[in-house]
Amino acid sequence: MAQFDLDAWVARSGAIDLDAIAWIDVANYPVSPGTVRTLTYMQDVESHTIVYLRSLLSTRAIDDPEVATFLACWVYEETIHGLALARFLEAAGHPLPPRATPHGQEPFVKRLEAWATSTLSKMWSDFCAVHMTWGAINELTALTTYLRLKTVAGHPVLDDLLERIMRDESRHFFFYYRQADTRLRRPGAARAARLLVDRFWSPVGSGVGPADDLTLIARYLFAGDEGRAAARRIDETVRKLPGFADVQLLEAWMDRQVGPAGLKGGRNGHGHH
């Protein structure tokens, strides 16, 4: 892999320019219920980044200067994504309701996960290999979700906003993926990371938003041949990482949670465009 230039990466980072978005034109175009649901879900995921960072701060991840610098840029950019999506929803006439569970009052199972992550990090020197692999999978899934939403939503202002968000997500994915590729080559790292991904991975946002929303969004965005091909490309990209040649991720999750019948139904779900 090419040498990574952290200074150049940081120089390209920064919040998307919210003033450049034509917010006043949002209401001039229809926004389908599927699009509203997807944006609401992804807004929750993006705004949850600050909570995820809290658990990372108790791990070895911040001991690596490159990773620590990246995380500072990452949390800032992701937070602005959340604000931008909330602003779009409000401009479209679908303001976000108050959160049922404030970020500071996570469910017990999420607090338990954070404790387990911190404990694993203390016990295993190559913990960062798992974090980077997980991050690469989730960033690629988020990036693909936005790309699919842009394709099915057909809203010019949303197109502009999503293009700006996707540029950030692409840079985040590049960092995570390069780090994962390097770290998984260390002895034993790929085997342990693969074990944890096989056992615990689920699509980005799982445990943050309602499970029903995730299934409906999967039908809305990844149904039909084009959607299934997009899910397959995520899996194929992850399979290029050391130790992950036969991993089963998004497409296998789709088979379990949505199923063939759900996929057929998902195509009809786009009929209101």
Side-chain angles (χ1 to χ4, degrees):
M1 238 179 207
Q3 184 66 31
F4 179 70
D5 186 339
L6 181 65
D7 290 339
W9 192 96
V10 171
R12 290 194 299 272
S13 71
I16 58 176
D17 184 2
L18 297 183
D19 290 338
I21 307 295
W23 302 110
I24 197 168
D25 295 333
V26 171
N28 294 340
Y29 305 91
V31 181
S32 73
T35 295
V36 171
R37 197 156 194 166
T38 303
L39 288 172
T40 302
Y41 185 88
M42 292 306 291
Q43 194 282 333
D44 204 23
V45 170
E46 299 280 17
S47 64
H48 199 78
T49 300
I50 194 72
V51 181
Y52 183 54
L53 180 67
R54 185 174 63 193
S55 69
L56 286 177
L57 293 177
S58 63
T59 72
R60 294 173 184 267
I62 60 168
D63 294 333
D64 183 298
E66 273 195 3
V67 174
T69 300
F70 163 76
L71 288 175
C73 298
W74 170 77
V75 72
Y76 178 49
E77 292 172 352
E78 298 277 353
T79 300
I80 300 302
H81 295 172
L83 294 173
L85 294 177
R87 186 165 172 180
F88 180 90
L89 285 163
E90 186 168 359
H94 300 278
L96 290 168
R99 282 186 59 84
T101 305
H103 284 314
Q105 300 174 20
E106 285 186 290
F108 173 74
V109 68
K110 301 305 287 185
R111 295 200 302 274
L112 186 62
E113 282 178 18
W115 174 84
T117 299
S118 176
T119 303
L120 177 64
S121 167
K122 291 181 176 71
M123 293 168 56
W124 182 37
S125 61
D126 271 331
F127 164 79
C128 217
V130 176
H131 168 219
M132 291 294 134
T133 302
W134 210 280
I137 296 169
N138 283 350
E139 290 290 345
L140 183 56
T141 305
L143 176 60
T144 307
T145 297
Y146 287 131
L147 184 60
R148 289 296 302 152
L149 180 59
K150 181 174 177 287
T151 301
V152 302
H155 190 295
V157 182
L158 184 59
D159 282 1
D160 181 29
L161 176 58
L162 293 180
E163 284 284 356
R164 294 167 189 269
I165 290 175
M166 286 189 291
R167 279 197 288 274
D168 288 349
E169 300 289 358
S170 294
R171 291 172 47 259
H172 299 167
F173 166 68
F174 173 78
F175 182 89
Y176 275 121
Y177 194 84
R178 177 198 164 275
Q179 287 276 339
D181 183 76
T182 300
R183 293 170 185 276
L184 289 171
R185 297 177 188 278
R186 297 175 184 173
R191 188 166 60 252
R194 174 65 188 274
L195 180 70
L196 290 167
V197 168
D198 282 346
R199 176 67 183 83
F200 296 109
W201 181 84
S202 54
V204 62
S206 298
V208 177
D212 286 351
D213 278 2
L214 190 55
T215 303
L216 286 166
I217 291 164
R219 284 202 186 111
Y220 179 58
L221 298 180
F222 293 98
D225 294 340
E226 286 184 18
R228 182 50 73 107
R232 190 174 300 123
R233 281 193 294 274
I234 293 173
D235 293 356
E236 288 170 350
T237 302
V238 176
R239 286 179 190 136
K240 294 174 184 173
L241 290 171
F244 282 76
D246 58 351
V247 72
Q248 301 293 317
L249 291 171
L250 191 60
E251 196 172 13
W253 180 88
M254 292 279 296
D255 287 338
R256 292 193 304 272
Q257 300 295 324
V258 179
L263 289 174
K264 291 189 183 76
R267 281 181 188 161
N268 297 333
H270 297 168
H272 48 254
H273 289 293

